[in-house]
Amino acid sequence: MPTPTRIAILGGGITGLTAAYYLNQAGVDVDLFEAADEPGGNMRSRREGSYTTELGPNSLLLSPELEELIGELDLTGQIQDPPPGVGANRYILRGGQYRKLPASPPGLLASGFFSWKTKLSILRELTRPAAPPDATETVAAFFRRRFNQEVVDYAVNPFVAGIYAGDPTQLRVQEAFPKLVELEQQHGSVLRGLAKAGVGQRRRTVSLRGGLQALPDALAARLAGNVYFHQPVTALTRTAEGGFQVSTPSGAFQDRTYSQVLIALPAHVAAELLQPLFPAQAALIGAVYYPPMTAVHTAYRRADVQHALHGFGALHPQVEGTYAAGSIWSSSLYPDRCPADEVLFTTFVGGAQSPGKAHDAEAVMLPRVHEELCRLYGISAPAPQWQRRYVWERAIPQADANLAPARAAAAELATQGLQVVSNWQAGISVPDCVRYARQIAGKISAASTA
């Protein structure tokens, strides 16, 4: 008789949990190992007194797969939407003042956000011929070629910093935004391609009551008995039959054999585990770069803040020379995150464009964030009502020159029974991770019943 399928999943973030959930639903035996004492990985919510903060993702774009998963976990009733009209308003700092970023190319042309020279460049993009695909082209180079430097400075740069904590001069456009390359090749123009594809309708942006950690908590609860916390995998061993065994500090699983291993770990952790068995692939995976980033949560009395804060938040282009990369207006999106007479900012310091700032001492960083918030938002308070920070030594994996070789290495490992389902492989957003984990789980469960 064939050996029963049993899968080891390393890492209890959203990708590992989702893969485990769907495998379990399909009747496949799984063991999920997590080094921490709680599920979620980067998806962490914290409550301190009257304040609820997100340490990682602050909201979710509700894809069909994610919405279905939330429903299966009986969390639909916990979905929170921002107040009407708030989530669509995004602001960019320009000339020391916040200016609303139009949500569409026609809006950009009708507004005063860009110069007339740039507006003409945006129109001319419709007639610029497509260039041959270039795997080395950066995001900045792509937009400079299709539009101009002002678009790079005041739209692309802050957008990339907000999504990836990244540097558009380093990210490869084919890795970070492959759809844009596809639109240029198919339609000769990015704008024409966007119009024909009907792109532009923003997905629903939501949170969950009590914080986004409700999602990994619910997944872990459904997997009770198959999730092992405080159990980092310290080694992988290949059996004579081609399966795998895992070593943990407790030694409790050394007699179990797994037909496949799903690696849902940060690249540097995965590389350490893979190095003894697959050194060449481990070196490529270990090169995936995660810049440091610090999230600073700051609350003020509403009466002390002049700005209306009617929006999602504001980003700071690098050319503006600010300390922080921008802020999410957390209490504007979800008013229950702080007392009713206060406002809560989530400010980001560091990232690929300013990695050193993320390591500033707390005694330096918190006053600087407060000072900048006061200057930009017209805040009169001498000190915040409340302020905390959380440092991510490795925040978001970058789609730079190291990513394609790492993905090629992951493809080689898949032929050996090792599936990399980390966010640098699946995509950095939560919907991407859910979609990819569900896809991998479906392939494994189908193969196990074939």
Side-chain angles (χ1 to χ4, degrees):
M1 293 182 63
T3 302
T5 299
R6 190 175 191 90
I7 308 296
I9 300 177
L10 315 186
I14 191 64
T15 313
L17 288 166
T18 302
Y21 170 77
Y22 282 113
L23 286 168
N24 188 272
Q25 291 288 98
V28 178
D29 291 329
V30 298
D31 288 331
L32 188 150
F33 302 93
E34 169 55 46
D37 60 357
E38 62 181 347
N42 290 348
M43 188 179 285
R44 302 186 196 175
S45 308
R46 293 291 182 268
R47 185 165 185 85
E48 183 177 335
S50 301
Y51 304 98
T52 299
T53 58
E54 303 287 3
L55 307 185
N58 278 260
S59 59
L60 303 173
L61 290 176
L62 202 58
S63 68
E65 296 90 348
L66 179 57
E67 187 170 14
E68 184 176 340
L69 177 62
I70 288 173
E72 290 178 10
L73 298 172
D74 298 325
L75 294 176
T76 301
Q78 296 187 39
I79 290 178
Q80 284 184 295
D81 290 283
V86 170
N89 295 333
R90 315 288 172 112
Y91 290 79
I92 301 291
L93 187 68
R94 181 151 195 176
Q97 301 293 322
Y98 287 128
R99 302 178 67 176
K100 185 179 175 181
L101 182 66
S104 66
L108 284 171
L109 294 175
S111 75
F113 187 84
F114 283 127
S115 67
W116 280 107
K117 181 180 178 180
T118 292
K119 291 179 182 180
L120 288 173
S121 182
I122 292 172
L123 283 173
R124 288 171 180 160
E125 195 275 339
L126 293 166
T127 62
R128 290 192 180 101
D134 179 1
T136 68
E137 187 172 37
T138 66
V139 173
F142 178 86
F143 278 91
R144 191 181 302 115
R145 175 171 61 79
R146 296 303 309 176
F147 300 96
N148 69 3
Q149 187 61 42
E150 187 181 2
V151 170
V152 173
D153 287 343
Y154 280 99
V156 177
N157 180 282
F159 176 78
V160 167
I163 298 296
Y164 275 95
D167 181 346
T169 68
Q170 297 299 315
L171 300 190
R172 299 291 174 88
V173 68
Q174 287 196 9
E175 298 291 343
F177 304 109
K179 185 65 177 178
L180 296 179
V181 177
E182 180 183 327
L183 292 175
E184 180 191 20
Q185 296 304 309
Q186 289 183 352
H187 303 282
S189 158
V190 174
L191 294 180
R192 187 182 300 111
L194 289 171
K196 289 185 176 181
V199 177
Q201 183 175 1
R202 193 182 297 275
R203 282 181 180 174
R204 186 179 171 193
T205 301
V206 303
S207 185
L208 297 171
R209 298 192 188 282
L212 292 179
Q213 194 166 345
L215 178 57
D217 284 349
L219 283 166
R222 293 294 181 94
L223 293 164
N226 298 104
V227 179
Y228 304 96
F229 296 109
H230 296 290
Q231 291 292 336
V233 173
T234 56
L236 284 173
T237 306
R238 201 75 186 260
T239 66
E241 295 77 20
F244 294 91
Q245 291 179 317
V246 302
S247 298
T248 65
S250 69
F253 304 91
Q254 59 189 11
D255 60 343
R256 294 189 184 181
T257 298
Y258 300 96
S259 57
Q260 292 192 60
V261 176
L262 270 60
I263 302 175
L265 298 169
H268 68 285
V269 179
E272 291 178 7
L273 279 176
L274 292 167
Q275 201 282 328
L277 290 175
F278 303 98
Q281 291 84 352
L284 294 172
I285 289 172
V288 174
Y289 174 51
Y290 297 67
M293 173 69 80
T294 298
V296 180
H297 306 285
T298 312
Y300 297 96
R301 292 191 308 156
R302 170 72 262 193
D304 292 334
V305 182
Q306 292 181 15
H307 197 285
L309 301 178
H310 188 72
F312 188 95
L315 295 170
H316 302 164
Q318 189 179 33
V319 294
E320 289 290 315
T322 56
Y323 181 68
S327 297
I328 292 174
W329 304 341
S330 301
S331 56
S332 297
L333 294 170
Y334 309 111
D336 62 348
R337 301 302 162 94
C338 67
D341 60 347
E342 296 182 15
V343 294
L344 179 65
F345 296 87
T346 300
T347 302
F348 300 96
V349 178
Q353 298 186 50
S354 303
K357 292 178 182 176
H359 294 121
D360 283 349
E362 184 171 299
V364 172
M365 183 181 293
L366 298 189
R368 290 202 64 176
V369 168
H370 165 64
E371 175 188 343
E372 191 162 270
L373 290 172
C374 288
R375 174 168 55 84
L376 295 174
Y377 291 94
I379 298 173
S380 58
Q385 293 289 103
W386 181 85
Q387 194 173 39
R388 298 289 186 273
R389 77 169 188 170
Y390 188 85
V391 181
W392 292 100
E393 290 295 336
R394 292 179 173 89
I396 300 172
Q398 301 295 290
D400 58 18
N402 295 325
L403 187 60
R407 284 179 168 166
E412 294 175 6
L413 293 174
T415 66
Q416 302 296 318
L418 291 165
Q419 297 279 355
V420 176
V421 294
S422 309
N423 62 351
W424 60 265
Q425 172 80 326
I428 62 171
S429 74
V430 172
D432 284 341
C433 292
V434 168
R435 173 190 53 78
Y436 192 75
R438 183 174 177 175
Q439 176 186 343
I440 294 297
K443 289 181 178 179
I444 292 173
S445 60
S448 69
T449 57

